[in-house]
Amino acid sequence: MTSQRISWHQYFIAQAAILSTRSTCNRRHVGAILVKENRIMASGYNGAVAGTPHCTEVGDYLVDGHCLRAVHAEQNALMQAAKMGIAVDGADLYVTDFPCALCTKLLLQAGIQRIYFMRDYRPDPFASELLDQKKVSIEQVPFEANTAEQINLTQFLKED
């Protein structure tokens, strides 16, 4: 008996969702994966600058409805690639949420060619305009129930 493998889109969006569980944001957990030729290049989740207090420890630092303490998942993925000397030009991004305008600008400057997101959280009209201008496709990839069933994490639980 052979089982059906999950699609690449579901595989990477699931990776982004799992990565989001590392987030230290009190408001929303976001994960991002940079992918090229079906290989993960770098990843990130939203949280405080490494080595500084997290929102979960000291609270949010909100200004005009935005937390200044948090580094976005997309930014962290780009910075991880930069620190490791990995060129992301031509890569795809899988992210749990529609990127904000600032992240979109950074992604476009880095040469990201396609963006796949799970949740349509506060889509930014300016981000959409920039993506259209640069002819970078953005596509919603919902996490599917059958993917969750196929992953079946309970199979990896240690038996007592």
Side-chain angles (χ1 to χ4, degrees):
M1 179 174 118
T2 60
S3 63
Q4 178 78 12
R5 295 188 336 168
I6 63 174
S7 71
W8 284 114
H9 285 316
Q10 286 297 295
Y11 174 74
F12 293 123
I13 211 71
Q15 296 266 345
I18 290 169
L19 189 61
S20 77
T21 66
R22 292 283 306 150
S23 171
T24 59
C25 179
N26 291 319
R27 301 171 71 208
R28 191 160 199 79
H29 292 196
V30 179
I33 308 283
L34 290 167
V35 174
K36 194 169 190 179
E37 297 175 6
N38 290 332
R39 300 291 180 257
I40 295 173
M41 304 171 67
S43 61
Y45 53 86
N46 57 332
V49 171
T52 68
H54 296 283
C55 294
T56 52
E57 300 166 341
V58 295
D60 300 325
Y61 182 30
L62 296 177
V63 176
D64 295 330
H66 299 283
C67 183
L68 297 185
R69 189 178 318 283
V71 179
H72 289 190
E74 302 93 327
Q75 296 167 1
N76 271 322
L78 289 170
M79 294 303 96
Q80 182 186 73
K83 283 175 74 172
M84 296 174 69
I86 300 170
V88 298
D89 189 31
D92 298 336
L93 174 79
Y94 286 82
V95 62
T96 54
D97 296 274
F98 194 101
C100 71
L102 175 59
C103 286
T104 298
K105 291 188 290 184
L106 295 173
L107 294 164
L108 292 173
Q109 285 295 89
I112 302 305
Q113 67 178 5
R114 285 182 293 270
I115 298 171
Y116 301 99
F117 68 98
M118 186 186 329
R119 300 180 295 204
D120 203 8
Y121 175 69
R122 294 171 53 177
D124 187 286
F126 182 60
S128 295
E129 181 182 329
L130 287 172
L131 292 164
D132 285 345
Q133 288 174 0
K134 295 290 288 181
K135 296 183 179 21
V136 170
S137 67
I138 185 159
E139 180 183 334
Q140 188 167 16
V141 178
F143 186 69
E144 298 172 356
N146 64 335
T147 299
E149 290 172 13
Q150 285 176 280
I151 292 172
N152 182 19
L153 294 177
T154 57
Q155 69 180 313
F156 301 107
L157 293 175
K158 182 180 176 186
E159 294 183 21
D160 294 329

